[in-house]
Amino acid sequence: MNDDEPTILLTNDDGIDSVGLRAIYHSLSRVGDVTTVAPAEDQSAVGRALSHEVDVREHEMGYVVDGTPADCVVAGLEALVPETDLVVAGCNRGANLGAYVLGRSGTVSAAVEATFFDVPAIAVSMYIPVREDAAFADIEADADSYAEAARATAYLADHSLGAGVFEQCDYLNVNAPVAEWGPAPLEVTKPSRLYEMDAVRNGDAVTLHDRIWERMADGDIPDPEGTDRRAVVDGNVSVSPLTAPHTTEHHESLDALAETYDPESGP
């Protein structure tokens, strides 16, 4: 390996056998020294769930872990690939778009976990234009479909560290369209705030429904220019620079409440 090449820890939430993981592995191998530390099974939408102990086995691309994406990052950075320069999570089969999705996604959560070790990270996903009632587990996407996601990820992994990108953000959330849509330029975005979850009660059950996927499949979305969802629907690769700590620096109203609180008073 060239001394100038980054050491990259690659993980995902779709599992070690996913097509998207291997597509990203091959693209990253051209720009860095890549070690995969990925879950043994599909861990989609587990967020930052963490285990106390996980079994680890060697794999031709690195290691396979009986755990979550966050487990993979902690185990990888602390015990398996401690000299990591960059964590990449993906490529996820299905987009991770919109502010409300960030905390649910195992892919994005792996990137967030890395930032608490002060290791920059890239989460990458591929948008597949399907409606919500079509389970992603039933959707087939071959390696060629991930070409735009793989190309953009390799470019960012190769250039973002040296360009100082992570001096202004903690991680990048990347979403690419399927390659069949044609060449996709990079567009810097912010997560859309549009939220279209609803719930309907049917007897003893409640059905939760995210209507945005139907609107995206129809190309009918109200998201403004500059948002991640709009960029992908328009055929671009969305790159959102994000920070991980969920804090606010100063909150005057809450400060005032804290000052007037009497711990000896009743409820």
Side-chain angles (χ1 to χ4, degrees):
M1 186 192 77
N2 189 309
D3 290 340
D4 294 332
E5 293 181 347
T7 297
I8 301 170
L9 189 159
L10 175 64
T11 191
N12 74 343
D13 73 356
D14 287 335
I16 191 74
D17 294 324
S18 73
V19 176
L21 179 75
R22 194 168 289 271
I24 296 297
Y25 177 85
H26 289 310
S27 69
L28 290 177
S29 295
R30 295 193 289 269
V31 302
D33 180 20
V34 185
T35 301
T36 299
V37 183
E41 305 292 341
D42 191 330
Q43 297 286 324
S44 297
V46 299
R48 288 179 63 210
L50 200 66
S51 306
H52 175 66
E53 183 176 292
V54 292
D55 291 332
V56 178
R57 300 180 298 281
E58 291 191 0
H59 186 274
E60 61 176 315
M61 295 187 294
Y63 302 91
V64 56
V65 176
D66 290 325
T68 68
D71 291 334
C72 292
V73 171
V74 177
L77 294 181
E78 285 292 288
L80 302 174
V81 198
E83 302 302 318
T84 295
D85 298 307
L86 176 71
V87 169
V88 175
C91 182
N92 193 64
R93 180 177 54 183
N96 281 300
L97 297 162
Y100 70 100
V101 169
L102 299 178
R104 300 176 185 168
S105 166
T107 302
V108 175
S109 293
V112 170
E113 199 71 37
T115 70
F116 289 100
F117 289 91
D118 293 323
V119 176
I122 300 172
V124 56
S125 306
M126 183 180 72
Y127 171 57
I128 301 174
V130 297
R131 297 175 182 276
E132 191 189 33
D133 54 8
F136 278 109
D138 298 331
I139 301 298
E140 296 294 333
D142 60 23
D144 291 340
S145 296
Y146 290 91
E148 292 302 318
R151 182 180 297 110
T153 304
Y155 174 81
L156 291 168
D158 193 22
H159 297 287
S160 58
L161 294 172
V165 167
F166 295 104
E167 294 174 10
Q168 295 181 268
C169 71
D170 293 323
Y171 71 103
L172 303 176
N173 186 35
V174 178
N175 284 271
V178 292
E180 289 81 356
W181 287 13
L186 289 182
E187 181 179 345
V188 179
T189 63
K190 59 184 179 181
S192 174
R193 303 293 298 184
L194 181 69
Y195 185 69
E196 293 210 350
M197 289 293 303
D198 67 15
V200 177
R201 182 170 181 175
N202 300 301
D204 293 333
V206 175
T207 301
L208 311 181
H209 187 198
D210 188 352
R211 297 190 180 280
I212 196 61
W213 299 110
E214 298 171 358
R215 301 190 67 170
M216 288 186 72
D218 293 335
D220 170 32
I221 59 169
D223 305 75
E225 296 291 332
T227 59
D228 54 0
R229 196 177 290 127
R230 168 58 64 187
V232 171
V233 170
D234 287 346
N236 298 328
V237 176
S238 166
V239 183
S240 295
L242 301 172
T243 56
H246 297 189
T247 60
T248 181
E249 292 184 4
H250 185 64
H251 198 299
E252 293 180 358
S253 298
L254 190 57
D255 288 345
L257 283 179
E259 289 174 4
T260 59
Y261 174 66
D262 181 358
E264 296 182 358
S265 65

